[in-house]
Structures are given as C-alpha cells and as structure tokens.
Amino acid sequence: MTMGTAPEFEWPDEPAGGEDSQFRQGSEELDAYSQTVIRVAATVTPHVAAIEMTSRGRHGRSRVGSGSAVVFTADGYMLTNAHVVSGIQAGRAVFADGKQTDVELVGADPLSDLAVVRGLRATPPPASLGNAEGLHVGQLVIAVGNPLGLAGSVTAGVVSGLGRSIPVRAGEHRRVIEDVIQTDAALNPGNSGGALADSRGRIVGINTAVAGLGLGLAVPINRTTQRIIAALLKDGRVRRAYLGLVSTPIPLDASAVVRTGQREGLRVVEVLPGSPAAAAGLEPGDLVLRAMGRPVSSAESLQKLLFTEAIGEPFPLTVLREGKTLQLVAVPSEMVTPG
C-alpha cells in the first residue's frame, strides 16, 4: 500500500429508502427479548423519579439521601425504600422528562424497607402494580430506576431466587424482610426504591439492595406489603404485634411428621425476658407448630400473623415440647421501634 493511500474498505450498501429505512429495518429485526425490554422500559420509566431527600443544617439545606421512587396512585403518592428517606421529612423528585416536584414523607417502615412519599405538585399517572406471588424462577424482570445523573436507568435479567430474606434490626427488635425477590438484573447506584417490573410492565417489586456482584434484591408487591403500604398511607407507620421470641425453622423427625401432619416447625432459640412469649410459658427448645390455628414453618409465616389485629388479643400457639403437644396462649403487645 502506497504511503498516504487510504486502505481499501467497502461500506455496506444503503438499503432502499435511505438512512431512516435502515433504522426501521434494524428495529424490525430486534429479537423478542429486546423488544420486550424496550417496551417495558418505555412503559415504566415515565412513572419512576429520582428523589433527593434533604435536611436543613447550619449552612442551609444539605443532601442526605437519594434514590428512586415509583408513582403508584393518581394523586402523586410514590413508593421508595425506607433507607432512602432515612427519616428525613422532605425533598424533591425529578422525572425522566425533566419535570420535578417537592415531596414530603408520608411514612416509612424500616422493618420492610418500604416508605411512601407524596408529590406536592402534579406527577405522572401511576404505574400498574402487579403481584409477586405469581413470579417464577427464571422469569424475565426489568429493573427501572432514575438515580440522579443516570435518568432512566434500565437493566434486565431473570428471577434467580424467591422466598429470600434480609435480616434487619430496628432498635432491639430483630426481623427479616420476607419473601424478597432475588434477581441478576444489575442495580446501579441510586436504583434503590426503583421499580422491578415483569414482562407486561407491572411493578412486582421495589428494588432495595445490591446483594453481591451481579445480584439484586427487591421487596415484593404482595398481600403482606400491600397491608404495609395501606398502613403507611393511613397512619404513616405500621403497627405490629410483638411476641418476643427468636426462632429458626427445622424439619420434623419422622414420628413428629406422622403425629402432626407437618414436615417443618419453628424451633424457639430464645425467649426474651418479660415478653408476651415468656408470659405464655414458651421456652427455648420448644417447637412451634401452629399459630392462630395455622401451620408455621418459617419466621415469615409467623410474622404474617403479627399485624395490628393481633395486638392485645389472645394468640393461640401449638407447641411440641419433649414429645408432648401443648396449647399455649400469648397476648402480643405492640412493637415499638425507633422513629
């Protein structure tokens, strides 16, 4: 090749119709997976805001927490994570189209990592909420966030695990966020509080944390979290009943399975002094089989029964102790967590 002579290269022929036609042709050739992700992103992104919660300090307002939030009512209420708002009462939300509104905290629940904020000016219409109870491992999900500086962040993956739990602590109380969705849809910084959507664009979870390289977690939208959200809207907090025991699930031995008809129960590891569980006579080593007449085999299945209506009311427990079945009755008190 002579010095100064451009290398020979043949550009592909331009399809008939010019450049616009080329882009249309490329769009038509997109695989079904890409078409689904693009469609869901276009559907969900307008409903997701970047939020920045601020607190006034000595030198004016300073940034305290930031993340994403999802509009879920027509009058501008948004779901996000409790750790995003971090107890701060006000901030602002910015949407992908550049519109913004001041927001105020309605309520937060650290024990589920869910919070509700309200836009003080007009917001986009609500996203469509789905039900995570219908998810399957391997199902396509799309994570949509709007972190500051990364407006309209979209990642896709599959549900890689269901029924996961995240241990959390609020003051002296230990609890788990139940039935967490595990996904390999990567979460960018600031995606906490954003939407996890199914292939139909329905919000099935609120992204909550990065579990590790290539893993993400989301709080599910299901019957339990719907109750939590309703309580936050009504009272700004979630009232929970408190038993005062620490337990772990264990499989029953063959003889106990035959006697009880259950394969698993909850082994009591610790009974906190002065708690309703202690007053009812529960002891470490007891195996809790039923609560309120329902089988319990995990901390989550017990927690689902410990909401407002259980406070101050008889709470029957079926317990297996040294081969004998006992019927105990606790009276749960109200769990008090730091504000």
Side-chain angles (χ1 to χ4, degrees), residues 150-193:
L150 291 171
S153 172
V154 177
T155 55
V158 299
V159 175
S160 54
L162 292 168
R164 301 291 194 260
S165 60
I166 308 173
V168 292
R169 178 183 289 271
E172 298 179 353
H173 300 297
R174 284 167 282 181
R175 191 177 168 86
V176 295
I177 303 175
E178 61 191 53
D179 296 332
V180 168
I181 304 164
Q182 179 181 303
T183 171
D184 63 357
L187 299 182
N188 296 312
N191 267 27
S192 285

Side-chain angles (χ1 to χ4, degrees), residues 278-319:
L282 277 166
E283 299 176 0
D286 285 347
L287 189 62
V288 180
L289 301 175
R290 291 177 171 266
M292 296 292 289
R294 301 180 186 180
V296 291
S297 58
S298 66
E300 293 85 359
S301 60
L302 183 59
Q303 286 174 182
K304 289 177 180 178
L305 303 175
L306 293 171
F307 278 92
T308 305
E309 58 271 19
I311 298 171
E313 297 294 328
F315 194 82
L317 296 163
T318 302
V319 174

Side-chain angles (χ1 to χ4, degrees), residues 214-238:
L215 292 178
L217 300 175
V219 180
I221 301 297
N222 57 23
R223 284 175 292 183
T224 300
T225 52
Q226 286 169 357
R227 293 178 67 181
I228 291 170
I229 294 165
L232 292 175
L233 287 169
K234 181 176 182 291
D235 301 318
R237 66 188 183 101
V238 179

